[in-house]
Amino acid sequence: MSYCLNPDCKTPQNPDGAKFCQRCGSRLLLGERYCAVRPIAQGGFGRTFLAVDYLKPSQPYCVIKQFFLLGQSQTITQKAAQLFQEEALRLDQLGQHPQIPALLARCEQDQRQYLVQEYIDGENLAEESATRGAFSDGEIRSLLDDLLPVLQFIHEGQVIHRDLKPENVIRRRIDHKLVLVDFGAAKYASSTALAKTGTSIGSAGYAAPEQSFGKAVFASDLYSLGIMCLHLLTQVEPFDLFDVSESTFMWRDYLGSNPVSDDLGRVLDRLIQSVVRLRYPSAQEVLRDLQSPKPIQPPPSVPPQYRRQSILPPEPILATDTLLKHPNQAVQASYTRLRLLLAAGNWREANRETKILLLQLVGRNPQDKLKLEDIAQMTCEDLGAIDQLWVNSSGDRFGFSIQRRIWVSLGGERNVSYRLYYQFADRVEWRVSGHWVSATNLSINLNNREGQFPLLPEMFGFSASKAALGFLRVDWCRSFFDRIGSCHL
């Protein structure tokens, strides 16, 4: 069976031996050599297919990665295309390693871009964990022994993976070795590049805090590796392992009858340090501690003056006894998720979590819509906590207080009108060229227009079509920013 690569083809299955699709007429062989057999996955940047290399006598399997975006803005498409091209470059620069899929070809056909890679037969660690349960102390040690040399290899090649998570590690069936895949988020880490702030990339929960500022370093991969180990040990999502009241991962509370030795525990604790200088500087250092019979020294404490100068945001208002001991566990859990999402620079999901949190704070269900009268029930403590999380995580670009400052600069305290509301929406790019946008069709990074997040129209449940009509938009915008002002945010 051959599978047509044309994303618009309605009947992509074709019989063996066919050179052209019987439905749409597209060529079935990529580069006159590789034939797709079936789709494996579809993600944010394209589709992945299991394929056969017909040029080799043994006709081995391989993987075709197709760059394919549908209905996205030009900015998103350009950035995705850049990352797709960079993945090929990174794999080519790294050369051959037995635990990294080999790059077989990069080509363009029918105005679409493709990568062809070695096929790794096996399950990824997320699938393995779902099937067999939590990993043991010994299995985590084996995992670290297997993966750390791979990270050392790519770091020596001046590459940071930036998306290490269970889904991107495959246990190869033939020899049970762990293979690191998906270098689509990888970054070339020259001394010049490390000094620059780039695009925030990474998977929420696994990405190191500094990645939310586009400042990934080699130790960022080690942080992600540590979080992945905690997830596999506990089978609890990283968001739920983090205790906002202690500002740390309370992973030992979720081990149950799956004990972890003190020396491995200390290694994991150092891997997941939020402050970069307290983390392991290299994969080689982690391996040395794992193999050393000597007691591992715990990381030094962080002096207060260093915390203030850290690349991490300062502690938000929510670090008060009132909010840390919130009687509503759902609210406290939402604060935790929001903080971690923002730390990972996942603005889209953080926007959704902010809406859920605001609904919970006024006593509504997450599926409800916020109403105009709900604004008066929002306490200054909670609004301040949410605002400071956004402001600190975005480097003073996003947040309620940032939005109010722009609102006031346009005359929001003097002459409120529909015209002012539209001027404000255009300024923060809730509206672009007369069209209203949503979190689902935005290019999400720190280059977004100042004040764009949180998306208040979505907070209050207004669809784009209704927002364009302008009904009640002035009233809720004025009321909300008046409330922010009364809280002195």
Side-chain angles (χ1 to χ4, degrees), residues 38 65 82 84 100 124 140 145 147 155 157 191 277 292 296 324 380 387 398 408 419 445 447 453 461 470 480:
R38 59 177 172 84
K65 297 184 73 172
Q82 178 187 344
F84 191 82
I100 297 176
N124 66 47
I140 292 297
D145 286 340
L147 276 183
H155 292 169
S191 58
R277 80 173 184 93
S292 172
I296 301 167
L324 291 178
C380 290
D387 176 62
F398 305 145
V408 171
R419 182 178 180 182
N445 57 56
N447 293 322
F453 283 97
F480 188 78

Side-chain angles (χ1 to χ4, degrees), residues 72 204 225 249 312 373 456:
Q72 298 292 339
L225 176 63
F249 288 94
L312 298 178
E373 56 266 29
L456 294 185

Side-chain angles (χ1 to χ4, degrees), residues 13 16 42 48 63 94 131 145 196-197 203 219 255 303-304 321 345 394 402 432 449 487:
Q13 292 87 359
D16 287 334
Q42 179 162 334
T48 304
V63 170
L94 287 172
T131 301
D145 286 340
K196 295 180 179 178
T197 299
S203 296
L255 289 174
D321 290 341
S394 65
I402 306 298
V432 178
R449 183 61 66 89
C487 292

Side-chain angles (χ1 to χ4, degrees), residues 205-210 218-228 242 249 271-274 279 340:
Y206 295 96
E210 63 272 9
F218 297 125
S220 303
D221 282 344
L222 300 178
Y223 177 96
S224 300
L225 176 63
I227 298 298
M228 182 176 73
F242 191 85
F249 288 94
L271 281 170
I272 62 171
Q273 287 292 314
S274 295
R279 217 178 292 156
L340 291 173

Side-chain angles (χ1 to χ4, degrees), residues 27-288:
R27 285 178 291 175
L28 292 176
L29 284 183
L30 179 64
E32 302 300 325
R33 176 172 182 171
Y34 306 103
C35 180
V37 176
R38 59 177 172 84
I40 298 175
Q42 179 162 334
F45 290 172
R47 302 186 297 172
T48 304
F49 301 88
L50 178 66
V52 172
D53 183 352
Y54 278 145
L55 196 61
K56 289 188 175 181
S58 62
Q59 296 188 355
Y61 283 124
C62 57
V63 170
I64 295 175
K65 297 184 73 172
Q66 178 191 57
F67 174 64
F68 170 58
L69 286 177
L70 181 63
Q72 298 292 339
S73 68
Q74 184 178 5
T75 303
I76 294 177
T77 302
Q78 289 175 344
K79 184 60 183 179
Q82 178 187 344
L83 291 172
F84 191 82
Q85 293 165 5
E86 287 178 354
E87 178 172 11
L89 181 61
R90 299 298 166 251
L91 289 171
D92 192 42
Q93 287 174 333
L94 287 172
Q96 295 292 321
H97 188 283
Q99 288 169 265
I100 297 176
L103 176 66
L104 304 179
R106 174 190 169 190
C107 57
E108 185 173 325
Q109 183 168 296
D110 299 328
Q111 298 183 329
R112 300 185 188 94
Q113 297 182 59
Y114 296 91
L115 297 182
V116 184
Q117 292 177 273
E118 174 190 4
Y119 171 64
I120 307 300
D121 180 27
E123 282 188 323
N124 66 47
L125 293 186
E127 295 168 331
E128 185 176 313
S129 177
T131 301
R132 56 178 290 279
F135 281 43
S136 67
D137 179 294
E139 288 167 330
I140 292 297
R141 288 176 182 272
S142 177
L143 179 153
L144 291 170
D145 286 340
D146 214 359
L147 276 183
L148 284 166
V150 185
L151 288 180
Q152 184 70 15
F153 173 80
I154 70 169
H155 292 169
E156 288 174 352
Q158 301 302 301
V159 171
I160 308 170
H161 189 276
R162 295 199 297 177
D163 198 19
L164 194 59
K165 58 184 178 180
E167 290 82 358
N168 286 341
V169 180
I170 296 176
R171 190 180 300 279
R172 189 162 47 206
R173 206 177 309 276
I174 190 171
D175 60 1
H176 305 292
K177 283 287 188 180
L178 297 179
V179 180
L180 183 59
V181 303
D182 199 349
F183 281 73
K187 174 183 180 182
Y188 183 65
S190 66
S191 58
T192 303
L194 285 174
K196 295 180 179 178
T197 299
T199 303
S200 173
I201 289 177
S203 296
Y206 295 96
E210 63 272 9
Q211 284 188 227
S212 64
F213 300 95
K215 295 287 290 184
V217 293
F218 297 125
S220 303
D221 282 344
L222 300 178
Y223 177 96
S224 300
L225 176 63
I227 298 298
M228 182 176 73
C229 289
L230 300 189
H231 184 188
L232 296 173
L233 274 171
T234 63
Q235 291 201 299
V236 177
E237 292 293 331
F239 289 135
D240 297 322
L241 289 173
F242 191 85
D243 188 335
V244 67
S245 65
E246 299 293 335
S247 192
T248 190
F249 288 94
M250 305 297 288
W251 58 274
R252 288 176 176 81
D253 294 346
Y254 297 89
L255 289 174
S257 57
N258 188 25
V260 171
S261 60
D262 290 343
D263 59 335
L264 177 60
R266 286 192 289 269
V267 168
L268 295 175
D269 285 337
R270 187 172 176 188
L271 281 170
I272 62 171
Q273 287 292 314
S274 295
V275 178
V276 175
R277 80 173 184 93
L278 301 184
R279 217 178 292 156
Y280 283 102
S282 69
Q284 190 174 11
E285 290 289 326
V286 190
L287 282 169
R288 185 176 295 121

